[in-house]
Amino acid sequence: MDLARTDFYLDGQWVAAGAGETVAVRNPATEEVVAAVPAGTAADVDQAVAAARAAFPGWADTTPAERAARLDRLHAALSARADEIARTVALELGTPLKVATRVQAGLPLTVLHSYVELAARPPAEETVGNSLVVREPVGVVGAITPWNYPLHQVIAKLAPALAAGCTVVLKPSELTPLTAYLLFDAIHEAGFPPGVVNLVTGTGPVVGEAIAAHPDVDMVSFTGSTATGRRISHLAADRIARVALELGGKSANVVLDDADLGTAVKVGVGNAFLNSGQTCTAWTRLLVHRDRYDEALDLAAKAAAGYRLGDPFDPATRLGPLVSAAQRERVLGHVARGLADGGRLVCGGPEAALPERGWFVAPTVIADVDPDSALAQEEVFGPVLAVIGFDDEDEAVAIANNSRYGLAGAVWSADEQRALRVARRMRTGAVDVNGAPFNPLAPFGGYKQSGLGRELGRHGLDEFLQVKAIQR
Ligand code: NAD
């Protein structure tokens, strides 16, 4: 199977990248190179931005119904590729195929569908005194995305940007570009006007920086690490370009003394280990009332033992590898530091048995983690759960809020009013009470260093609009 791709998608067509450098794509379960894609240059970004700029007035002028119809065609073209997308994500990222099918392919289709509907119903114009207040698309959007949800992170930007009337230049992560190519096959099939959506693959420091610094990019929408988000903000600030940032997290799962402990811990471990813990919203700190602490540790160890490591294509596998050797080293470094700082290994850890090949880390639970220590403060991005005890609600809230991040979180209690009270006190962009389901229409984004702006639903669409007041 030759998965190599040799082109960019520019101005409505596949354009050969020429004989420049390429980026190798590896299967993290076997460590083998499975494909290569072109490493773009600043000149490629110039071409893509010029196409997006030229397409902008025409696309901005289309009716909401036309934009909705085009997104609907994209939804159909992408749905037809759902199995291929799941298999590709399993191959280049290592997500177990079952999870890849449900989350990596399924979720973006749900989100895209929501924007078919939202595109058709633009926000109403308002009258404020003698002013007519109208909303207009921001312009050319540069989208830079990470590898952990390679289609979802792209759709969460592209769908609302297109629905709003913006045009887009995408740079997907160099670790998982193959999924983006499938998306652009679907985009081509959906027949967007030339230049409305463009793809340049390559590395962050070259293609990513060229997009973030480009004078003709009106807005940079970025998902990734806080360090890169800071760099992109600096680059965009030079020309006062708008930025939207979805960054890291260190979310707390607060289990109050009256909670259904069995469910809270089982669901909490599942959340922390989803996608091998490579999820920005992962509840990586389990906060448990001290009266139920030991019981919770037993439950966590039992739940973790159910996460069988292995080949992402084997239906029995519940935990795949990490995306890269570097990511694995980083995660093991966090585990070692956590243990050196006084954490107690409950299960997993650096000595646990692993498949012979692949960048695997065993599902790991560490108890007695100091809330100020690195393991409780730094984003690990691996299957590592830090457990911390508390004596009362105030202490639980203080520990939950003792973070420079504020992306997500959870509260469990038999008393929903009590859980809601704690949820309101948590300084974070989202909180789930008693395992409530994910809502793809709810605003998604971070407080503090977890980011700026919101994705998904109506709030996600508003990010790509600007407001004009016309006095009469
Ligand atoms: P990353 O910041 O290294 O890379 C993200 C993207 O930015 C990639 O496409 C990369 O090529 C590009 N990039 C890297 N350096 C750049 C630069 N100097 N200028 C412009 N672009 C550059 O992050 P990652 O390792 O791919 O992803 C993991 C991180 O992303 C984690 O910290 C995670 O929490 C975060 N994340 C956040 C969310 C969210 O929604 N909040 C979602 C997923 C991942």
Side-chain angles (χ1 to χ4, degrees), residues 62 90 110 187 192 203 220 232 247 280 294 334 337 398 454:
T62 51
T110 303
I187 283 171
F192 284 86
T203 66
V220 186
I232 283 172
L247 308 176
C280 47
D294 291 337
H334 280 295
R337 173 96 192 263
R454 291 294 177 269

Side-chain angles (χ1 to χ4, degrees), residues 185-229:
D185 287 340
I187 283 171
H188 190 63
E189 191 178 311
F192 284 86
V196 169
V197 213
N198 305 273
L199 170 71
V200 182
T201 51
T203 66
V206 178
V207 178
E209 295 224 0
I211 290 174
H214 202 290
D216 235 5
V217 169
D218 299 299
M219 171 173 172
V220 186
S221 178
F222 170 76
T223 299
S225 63
T226 296
T228 306

Side-chain angles (χ1 to χ4, degrees), residues 145 147-148 153 171 174 209 223-225 228 247 280 379 381:
T145 54
W147 44 264
N148 61 343
Q153 308 287 15
K171 189 209 91 66
E174 55 273 47
E209 295 224 0
T223 299
S225 63
T228 306
L247 308 176
C280 47
E379 184 172 51
F381 240 52

